[in-house]
Amino acid sequence: MLKAIVVVGGIAIIFHHIITLGFIMGYHKSIYNHRPGPCRLVPGIVNGSEDIFVLPNGLALISSGMDHFHINPNTDLIMHGFKGQIYSFDFNQPDNPAKVVPIEGGIDKTKFRPHGIDVWHDEKTGLVQLFAVNHGIEDTIEVFDLDQDRLVLKHKQTYRHKLMISINDIVATSKSSFYFTNDALNREGIKRKIESLLLCAWSTVVYFDGKDAKIVLDKGLMYNGINTSPDKKINLCKSINFKYNVSIQKRSK
């Protein structure tokens, strides 16, 4: 009798897990395309695109060539030749293709594989800085000064911290502080696969003040995209939990 109860209970747990995965993947939803007008493919980007930030002047910065291999070594072999780059696209000249933004400075470009990006604009000095999540040998945050006259990125700083585990996205709060999301507790390997398969709510949102970091939101199911409200008082963070999709956090002063 006990054996039958255990078997039935195990089957029920597995069935519930499969149903939960189905809800997360959105198989129960109907998706309708809504477009503001005609859409077309922007030429010039050859290694895919992951994130985009549009400056007030209409210039967009786009991250490309993200590294998937630390998560899944069996990713399409074609992607092994991808090159991590930042592209620009000018919405004031929409018929022109996207262009590679040259990078200057000490960063190893062969290990630059950008993911989420954000921009900090100092209105007093006019300084524009690009913050980029980088999946190199380890996950880091790379900071660049944008020379808008030459349209060149000058590498300024690399940030490392033990809480930078599996970074997905970033939102800058000053020239040296930012929030970022870890979409998992484990960066790679069998532990990462088990964590994803079992839907472990171990992802985090972390605040870095320029010197140290602390977790400000935890127990998330793959926290990924993060942004802040126009008044900079509220953070919005996207997760894949089917019960809720956006976490709202009031920022402390």
Side-chain angles (χ1 to χ4, degrees), residues 62-179:
I62 304 163
S63 62
S64 176
M66 190 184 90
D67 175 19
H68 296 266
F69 306 113
H70 68 282
I71 298 176
N72 182 10
N74 297 319
T75 303
D76 191 337
L77 292 178
I78 294 176
M79 299 178 67
H80 280 276
F82 279 12
K83 185 177 181 181
Q85 293 176 316
I86 300 296
Y87 287 84
S88 67
F89 177 77
D90 191 349
F91 279 95
N92 300 302
Q93 302 178 35
D95 293 330
N96 292 342
K99 299 179 181 179
V100 174
V101 181
I103 294 176
E104 299 177 347
I107 187 172
D108 185 348
K109 299 174 186 177
T110 65
K111 295 181 175 62
F112 182 54
R113 304 303 289 269
H115 191 164
I117 60 174
D118 194 37
V119 167
W120 173 257
H121 181 205
D122 190 325
E123 296 181 355
K124 294 183 179 179
T125 64
L127 176 68
V128 176
Q129 291 182 303
L130 175 73
F131 289 70
V133 174
N134 183 30
H135 298 303
I137 297 176
E138 59 181 333
D139 278 16
T140 59
I141 300 296
E142 306 295 341
V143 184
F144 305 86
D145 289 345
L146 175 62
D147 184 334
Q148 294 193 72
D149 294 330
R150 297 168 54 217
L151 201 52
V152 170
L153 288 169
K154 301 177 181 179
H155 185 252
K156 180 181 179 182
Q157 181 80 40
T158 297
Y159 288 109
R160 295 179 174 87
H161 195 276
K162 63 181 180 180
L163 292 178
M164 296 180 182
I165 302 169
S166 179
I167 314 175
N168 188 297
D169 199 11
I170 182 171
V171 59
T173 55
S174 76
K175 64 181 182 180
S176 59
S177 62
F178 47 85
Y179 290 88

Side-chain angles (χ1 to χ4, degrees), residues 176-248:
S176 59
S177 62
F178 47 85
Y179 290 88
F180 64 88
T181 58
N182 284 309
D183 54 26
L185 178 64
N186 298 284
R187 186 175 189 261
E188 55 193 5
I190 187 64
K191 291 182 179 180
R192 173 64 178 252
K193 292 182 178 180
I194 293 174
E195 179 182 350
S196 300
L197 183 62
L198 297 181
L199 300 177
C200 299
W202 293 344
S203 64
T204 56
V205 177
V206 181
Y207 176 67
F208 185 81
D209 63 8
K211 296 181 179 179
D212 203 1
K214 63 179 181 179
I215 296 173
V216 295
L217 194 63
D218 59 4
K219 299 179 181 178
L221 187 57
M222 195 177 175
Y223 286 135
N224 45 84
I226 187 170
N227 210 334
T228 188
S229 59
D231 61 7
K232 309 298 183 183
K233 293 182 179 181
I234 295 175
N235 286 337
L236 305 173
C237 183
K238 180 73 170 61
S239 72
I240 65 169
N241 193 326
F242 71 92
K243 293 182 180 179
Y244 58 88
N245 288 321
V246 178
S247 297
I248 300 175

